[in-house]
Amino acid sequence: MLNFIDNKLNSKIGMDFKVWDWQIPELYGIVLGMFVKLGLTDTISICKSEMLDFIIDVEKGYYKTSYHSFYHAVDVVAVLYYMLTDLGAANYLTSLDAICLLIAGLCHDIGHPGLNNVYQVNARTNLAVKYNDQSVLENHSCTLTMDIITKHRLLRHVHSCNNEYKDCDPKEVDTTIRDLITKIILATDMSFHFDLLESLHDMLKSASPCSSEESVLLHAADLSNTVRPWDISKRWSDLVVEEFFHQGDLEKQNNLPVSPNMDRKKAHQCQISLGFGDFVVKPYFEAFASFLNQATIFLDILANNRVCWDDMKNAPPQPPPTLLIPNSDDASTLEDENSSKGQRRVSLAAGLLIIPDDIQEKLRLMSSQRHTRHQRKLKRSLSGRSYSHHALLPAHPARLKSSDSNSILDNENLYSTPSLIITPVSSGSIINSTNYNNVKKASNNHQKRLGRMRRSSSLDHNMIRQITSLCGTGDSQPEQRVVVAGS
């Protein structure tokens, strides 16, 4: 702890922090140092040794699972600390809020047995019965957290040392703080992912604080494995898959439905990671980077990691892939057998994700709102990064048929446009620079709604699907189609 406070540790708490480089007792001191630097003594008026006892008891409540272990808890706390101190998230919270956030982050998976909510419900475990199948593991973590807080009387001085609660009834203050910590932990249930995404967009639209900042931050930290440097991200992914396959094996042994992504004979790590990054992490962190401008670093790393996963996926030998987000022809691959018709459920490290049928439209609308209402906040657009890929395509791309079969396309004009243009071209015809400028002018209204296009090794499959629906495949007509994209 003293070394951390004096900045004498070999590694800084940030994107490159590796929890595996430390022994458990050393992690006690590092976590305690984070609380101390955030004003533990002044905020809740307890001494360091009391907080250390609390941290040790929390660690004892974690199982030694592959992924949902005390190492994961410390990693989440480290990311939260980084967000608060380096990315400016502390500007949105009081000191007491920040302490509650770190307590929730440290305890959010306590008691997690490495078998997610789907298994708990399907196997009719005691926990599922106790919590009526609702956020089973999250409720269990809340119960254990409150028990440890009670044991150590962690909040006994808050009413006397915090200006916000001075002269208030100590019991009411205790209840208020416990409710806040409980709310933050419960929000880590992946079934609330899209609710949190909408809350994040509501915060951006109103440009004012709301009651969900802590939950938004913890959810981002809980998803942050994918947006960490490649060696760290890959190791966490290995641990996730190990825990997934262990659950899948138990489900087979107990004649239970095998959860999505957990059958070691069918699931593929690369495709799971790519789908998780594209459909869950990327839209969330794009909105998150609008909330905290400096959080664009997460998107940069996510893009780099995607290239690594793509390279690994394409390297032989290649097992049969399993898509995280199924298309209409292969929806049964990942759907929970107990899900209702038309509702998709996907198992993730953080829990069960229920995908609304209208999610693509919701994400498109959210992205459009970020463009029009918060351009001054979104500095990312100036650096060439994209907004959500769900809003890249205009509703009706500009089209032009050239009448001059001998004209030539101006390369300089071709690559100077930041918009996406789909142009049917008669066989043997080329677009000239004059006609191209007409196209550019005609699509000006669409360009206002488009972010700059993220550099990628390939077009997003949603874009390809929309392009095909608008223009066809080109196989049945003797004409070529040209797709022009910004750099």
Side-chain angles (χ1 to χ4, degrees), residues 123-274:
R124 302 308 303 149
T125 65
N126 291 334
L127 289 177
V129 173
K130 179 179 180 179
Y131 297 110
N132 197 28
D133 297 345
Q134 302 298 313
S135 300
V136 176
L137 295 176
E138 291 76 21
N139 273 302
H140 183 49
S141 295
C142 287
T143 299
L144 296 178
T145 301
M146 294 304 117
D147 288 345
I148 299 176
I149 288 177
T150 300
K151 174 183 176 182
H152 293 273
R153 302 176 62 213
L154 205 65
L155 307 174
R156 67 186 184 276
H157 296 310
V158 173
H159 70 281
S160 61
C161 67
N162 190 279
N163 291 330
E164 183 180 354
Y165 295 107
K166 267 190 176 179
D167 302 325
C168 293
D169 180 19
K171 291 184 178 179
E172 290 184 2
V173 173
D174 185 80
T175 300
T176 300
I177 303 303
R178 287 170 180 266
D179 287 347
L180 174 60
I181 294 172
T182 298
K183 182 192 77 169
I184 301 171
I185 293 177
L186 287 176
T188 61
D189 185 345
M190 279 301 298
S191 65
F192 300 124
H193 169 77
F194 292 108
D195 294 329
L196 285 172
L197 183 57
E198 290 187 12
S199 295
L200 191 48
H201 282 280
D202 289 341
M203 289 166 56
L204 295 173
K205 283 191 291 184
S206 63
S208 61
C210 71
S211 60
S212 302
E213 288 95 341
E214 300 91 351
S215 299
V216 165
L217 289 167
L218 180 53
H219 188 54
D222 204 19
L223 296 177
S224 66
N225 298 337
T226 313
V227 295
R228 303 286 291 283
W230 170 246
D231 58 334
I232 299 175
S233 181
K234 175 60 166 60
R235 181 162 180 178
W236 281 121
S237 176
D238 291 341
L239 295 173
V240 168
V241 171
E242 182 179 323
E243 192 168 291
F244 274 13
F245 291 166
H246 171 65
Q247 176 171 324
D249 293 342
L250 285 179
E251 287 170 330
K252 290 179 181 178
Q253 292 174 17
N254 295 313
N255 296 319
L256 298 173
V258 179
S259 299
N261 301 328
M262 297 190 181
D263 190 333
R264 65 175 69 248
K265 294 182 178 180
K266 297 179 180 179
H268 187 256
Q269 181 181 8
C270 296
Q271 201 64 50
I272 292 172
S273 300
L274 286 168

Side-chain angles (χ1 to χ4, degrees), residues 31-46 51 54 77 80-81 84 90 93-107 149 154-155 158 162 177 180-181 184 214:
V31 172
L32 180 59
M34 294 184 213
F35 279 101
V36 171
K37 278 199 167 186
L38 289 175
L40 169 74
T41 305
D42 295 333
T43 304
I44 59 177
S45 189
I46 63 171
M51 191 64 193
F54 172 79
V77 172
L80 288 171
Y81 181 82
L84 291 169
L93 306 175
T94 66
S95 297
L96 182 58
D97 290 337
I99 295 296
C100 291
L101 176 61
L102 259 63
I103 291 174
L106 185 67
C107 302
I149 288 177
L154 205 65
L155 307 174
V158 173
N162 190 279
I177 303 303
L180 174 60
I181 294 172
I184 301 171
E214 300 91 351

Side-chain angles (χ1 to χ4, degrees), residues 468 471-481:
T468 302
C471 298
T473 62
D475 296 336
S476 60
Q477 301 178 29
E479 61 179 19
Q480 299 173 336
R481 286 179 168 83

Side-chain angles (χ1 to χ4, degrees), residues 312-358:
M312 185 178 296
K313 183 189 73 170
N314 295 325
Q318 181 69 14
T322 300
L323 295 176
L324 179 64
I325 305 297
N327 57 39
S328 59
D329 297 327
D330 193 30
S332 62
T333 305
L334 290 174
E335 288 183 9
D336 188 336
E337 290 183 14
N338 295 324
S339 63
S340 59
K341 184 176 180 181
Q343 186 182 66
R344 289 173 291 176
R345 300 185 177 194
V346 178
S347 297
L348 304 169
L352 180 69
L353 176 64
I354 300 177
I355 305 172
D357 293 335
D358 59 347

Side-chain angles (χ1 to χ4, degrees), residues 384-448:
R385 255 182 295 283
S386 73
Y387 299 104
S388 175
H389 58 262
H390 302 283
L392 276 173
L393 289 176
H396 301 287
R399 292 187 172 119
L400 176 68
K401 288 189 177 181
S402 172
S403 58
D404 183 0
S405 60
N406 297 319
S407 57
I408 298 176
L409 179 65
D410 187 329
N411 286 334
E412 182 178 354
N413 287 333
L414 170 63
Y415 293 108
S416 63
T417 176
S419 63
L420 180 67
I421 301 172
I422 304 173
T423 309
V425 184
S426 299
S427 180
S429 300
I430 305 295
I431 306 174
N432 61 24
S433 58
T434 302
N435 287 335
Y436 174 75
N437 288 331
N438 290 336
V439 173
K440 184 174 180 181
K441 182 178 179 180
S443 62
N444 185 56
N445 290 332
H446 296 307
Q447 292 180 28
K448 292 179 181 178

